[in-house]
Amino acid sequence: AVIRLEREEYDAHVVLLERALEIDSTAAEALWLLARMQYSMANRRDTVQRQKAVNNMQRATYYCPYDVDILEDLATMLDYEERHEEALQCYERIATQHPSKATLNQLAKSYWRLKKHEEAMGVFNQMERQGGRTEEVVVGKIGLYTDMKDSLRLFAFLDTLIQENPHEYEYQVYKGECYAKLCNRKDSAEAIFKQVLRQSPSNKRAQFALMNHYATTDDRDNLFESIKTLISNQHLEENKRTEILTSYVRFCIHEDSLRLNSLRAFLDPLHYADNATGELAAAHTVFLLYLNVPADSALIAINRTLKFHPENSEIRRQGLYLCYKNNYIDELIRLCEEGQ
């Protein structure tokens, strides 16, 4: 049966497993493999086939109760079927038998999914006692306190992290975000973001947080300046530039054309500079298309982007549409030929 599976002969694989179970109905490995195959082949609407798979996996765990792989597969199936309480029982058994960082983390997340926050926190505390304050523990505790809206314990934990890691600015930024979201203390949040940027001027996490702060408080002037700062940040992933620009255009295209034109004046030299990147060119092109600039200007930007990334099909389609709309036949033909 295993050889048939390796050859991707799935029907034969299932037939051989069923034959093996006719010989020995308690063969846990055959039940396990059959259940995995049945579940992977069942579609979302085939509840009967999926239930058969779950039943076979449960039988496999009955005959082989200490096999962690079988228990984990059963828990995954039950979670997918939204039978989370039953899945939790599997994770509890796994963590009891093999209390590793991975199994305890699974158990904590299962408690968390069921809103059993204190039980989840207890597991994260156990993980911390066993292995120290790992990233899983830190992320888990912060997320739990936030989900519980327990600002008192959240800020106490963040303060501890900040004291222990004075140069890990992410904790400071998150504290500012929590001030804004949980306590509506937007002034305190802004002060924290600015303090981080004084200590680490190119910190993109703090720059993003400050930009979002200005957007939520409708501070257009500072929002505009923060966008320019982010776009100029060499540490910022290029796809984020496109995201920032398009979001900003949607934010104010109907009422703030003057500022958009100012942003274009800022972006144009970056796009056409010798050291411009293809991603920045694409972001600038998308920005110009949002602005609905004249076709000639848009096509110049499109052609420059395609020099960097000829495989960018979305930008090429925009160029083809502009050429068709404006009867630029030669350009239309060229873009088609280069895209083949």
Side-chain angles (χ1 to χ4, degrees), residues 48-85:
V48 174
Q49 182 73 1
R50 292 205 319 276
Q51 186 56 49
K52 282 183 181 179
V54 172
N55 290 343
N56 282 328
M57 193 67 77
Q58 288 173 325
R59 288 175 59 201
T61 62
Y62 176 79
Y63 293 121
C64 193
Y66 302 108
D67 191 305
V68 172
D69 291 334
I70 297 176
L71 279 170
E72 285 183 340
D73 280 347
L74 176 58
T76 301
M77 285 183 181
L78 292 169
D79 267 336
Y80 190 76
E81 297 297 316
E82 298 185 359
R83 294 160 62 175
H84 301 307
E85 286 284 359

Side-chain angles (χ1 to χ4, degrees), residues 265-278:
F266 170 75
L267 286 169
D268 282 347
L270 295 179
H271 182 170
Y272 298 113
D274 291 338
N275 62 345
T277 63

Side-chain angles (χ1 to χ4, degrees), residues 174-307:
Y174 192 76
K175 181 179 179 181
E177 291 172 337
C178 290
Y179 269 134
K181 293 175 184 176
L182 298 182
C183 308
N184 200 30
R185 293 171 56 182
K186 292 183 171 56
D187 291 342
S188 299
E190 182 179 354
I192 289 176
F193 302 148
K194 288 181 175 179
Q195 179 184 350
V196 171
L197 289 171
R198 282 194 293 272
Q199 298 169 330
S200 177
S202 62
N203 188 295
K204 61 184 179 183
R205 179 82 167 80
Q207 289 176 348
F208 259 109
L210 190 59
M211 181 191 73
N212 290 329
H213 166 75
Y214 290 138
T216 56
T217 56
D218 201 27
D219 187 341
R220 299 294 178 91
D221 291 333
N222 281 317
L223 174 60
F224 178 64
E225 293 303 318
S226 68
I227 285 173
K228 291 200 297 184
T229 300
L230 262 171
I231 292 170
S232 304
N233 189 337
Q234 297 300 314
H235 302 289
L236 181 65
E237 296 84 353
E238 297 294 354
N239 65 315
K240 289 292 183 183
R241 300 176 195 246
T242 303
E243 181 183 331
I244 292 167
L245 288 172
T246 53
S247 296
Y248 183 71
V249 172
R250 285 195 295 268
F251 182 69
C252 60
I253 193 168
H254 297 299
E255 53 184 295
D256 215 343
S257 58
L258 180 63
R259 191 170 281 124
L260 285 173
N261 287 329
S262 298
L263 185 56
R264 180 186 174 184
F266 170 75
L267 286 169
D268 282 347
L270 295 179
H271 182 170
Y272 298 113
D274 291 338
N275 62 345
T277 63
E279 288 76 10
L280 180 56
H284 181 244
T285 301
V286 172
F287 175 72
L288 292 177
L289 292 170
Y290 262 102
L291 287 181
N292 204 18
V293 298
D296 290 344
S297 299
L299 280 173
I300 291 172
I302 286 170
N303 285 327
R304 181 164 173 79
T305 299
L306 291 175
K307 283 183 179 179

